[in-house]
Amino acid sequence: MTPGTGVTELLAKGELTVRGRIREASNAALHCTVALEDREAACIYKPVAGERPLWDFPDGTLAEREVAAYEVSEATGWGLVPPTVLRDGPYGEGMCQLWIEPDPEPEPGAELLALVDGEEPGEGWKAIGFAEVGEGRTALLVHADDERLRRLAVLDAVINNADRKGGHLLPAAGGRLYGIDHGVTFHTEDKLRTLLWGWAGEPLTTEATEALTRLKQGLEGGGALAAALSELITAAELDATRARVDALLASGRHPEPGGEWPAIPWPPV
């Protein structure tokens, strides 16, 4: 099933059946099907009970942050996060997200990340930084100069994503690109860690400015986005989100690494 009308209702109200566990995930992540009347879809269910404690995020809040990231993504109009809801399930309350199958036949040259020799990224690429590749050699880690990634970079700046790894980029059929795994977001302190630094300091696109303006309006008192987020994150975190949107609009530029927090997640992919 592809995202469309009624998907969030299916995720929220359908019967969840666990099919297996995603063992690579750092927290409990269960591959499920969800069925409602004559509709069925694959999904991922992450119960709060399976979240590992983190030193810098309150316990039991990652599922709500994943849903909050979806709400912000929808408010931009970009649809960068698969439909995600908070619901009860076989192992208690958790987040439930539509399962997106990766594109089985990606076009040649559609890579989003690469390692290249030399000190310059080359045409169509943006530099991230140097990485050790063994035997004392280093290579330049780059990401594609891709408008879909650029939108994700803006979204990450808004939600203060502390963990945008390469494995959290999900190219799907039809040229769609999704970002997944948004549990460590919306902190009040600057914790932006991402591979998508290629546009750091560059002017925001007109499209991004328009999306941020929509977010600002939605985050105002009485706005639909503010109401949705107030059920998912704290008042201080909501205020910090407003401040990040205001700062992006005031500067008109993509943020740069702050220097007080590692700028790139580890491992990066």
Side-chain angles (χ1 to χ4, degrees):
M1 175 179 287
T2 56
T5 303
V7 174
T8 54
E9 179 188 31
L10 172 61
L11 292 171
K13 298 180 180 179
E15 181 179 357
L16 271 179
T17 302
V18 176
R19 301 299 183 185
R21 180 171 182 175
I22 302 171
R23 298 193 178 278
E24 313 89 69
S26 56
N27 296 293
L30 305 175
H31 186 251
C32 303
T33 55
V34 59
L36 181 66
E37 297 174 348
D38 60 344
R39 294 178 292 164
E40 183 175 292
C43 62
I44 182 170
Y45 161 55
K46 297 181 182 179
V48 172
E51 295 178 4
R52 296 181 181 178
L54 299 172
W55 69 269
D56 54 346
F57 282 82
D59 292 351
T61 66
L62 305 190
E64 292 171 317
R65 295 172 195 279
E66 294 239 32
V67 180
Y70 167 69
E71 294 289 350
V72 173
S73 167
E74 288 300 285
T76 64
W78 289 334
L80 297 170
V81 179
T84 313
V85 302
L86 193 69
R87 60 161 294 166
D88 194 24
Y91 299 101
E93 186 177 66
M95 85 82 165
C96 184
Q97 184 176 83
L98 183 67
W99 181 272
I100 302 294
E101 287 291 342
D103 189 351
E105 298 180 354
E107 295 183 6
E111 295 83 3
L112 298 176
L113 299 169
L115 286 167
V116 298
D117 293 324
E119 297 185 357
E120 296 298 328
E123 185 176 356
W125 296 93
K126 290 285 189 177
I128 302 168
F130 289 96
E132 294 185 6
V133 292
E135 301 181 353
R137 294 179 56 247
T138 61
L140 185 62
L141 181 61
V142 297
H143 66 69
D145 187 3
D146 186 303
E147 65 177 10
R148 301 169 302 168
L149 289 181
R150 193 165 189 171
R151 292 169 185 156
L152 268 177
V154 174
L155 175 67
D156 285 344
V158 171
I159 66 177
N160 198 14
N161 192 352
D163 196 32
R164 175 62 74 203
K165 297 176 180 177
H168 299 167
L169 305 173
L170 184 57
R176 291 293 300 270
L177 178 68
Y178 294 95
I180 57 173
D181 287 339
H182 298 107
V184 286
T185 49
F186 295 99
H187 204 286
T188 55
E189 300 175 9
D190 180 14
K191 290 186 178 288
L192 183 60
R193 292 196 304 171
T194 176
L195 287 179
L196 305 180
W197 286 117
W199 299 280
E202 293 188 15
L204 294 167
T205 64
T206 300
E207 177 191 53
T209 300
E210 291 172 349
L212 289 165
T213 301
R214 288 193 292 272
L215 290 183
K216 180 178 176 64
Q217 294 168 347
L219 288 167
E220 292 174 350
L225 181 57
L229 294 186
S230 67
E231 300 293 324
L232 300 165
I233 59 177
T234 68
E237 289 165 344
L238 181 53
D239 285 341
T241 304
R242 293 188 180 103
R244 288 191 295 271
V245 171
D246 288 344
L248 287 165
L249 285 170
S251 71
R253 294 181 177 275
H254 287 267
E256 299 183 74
E260 298 180 2
W261 183 257
I264 297 176
W266 186 262
V269 178

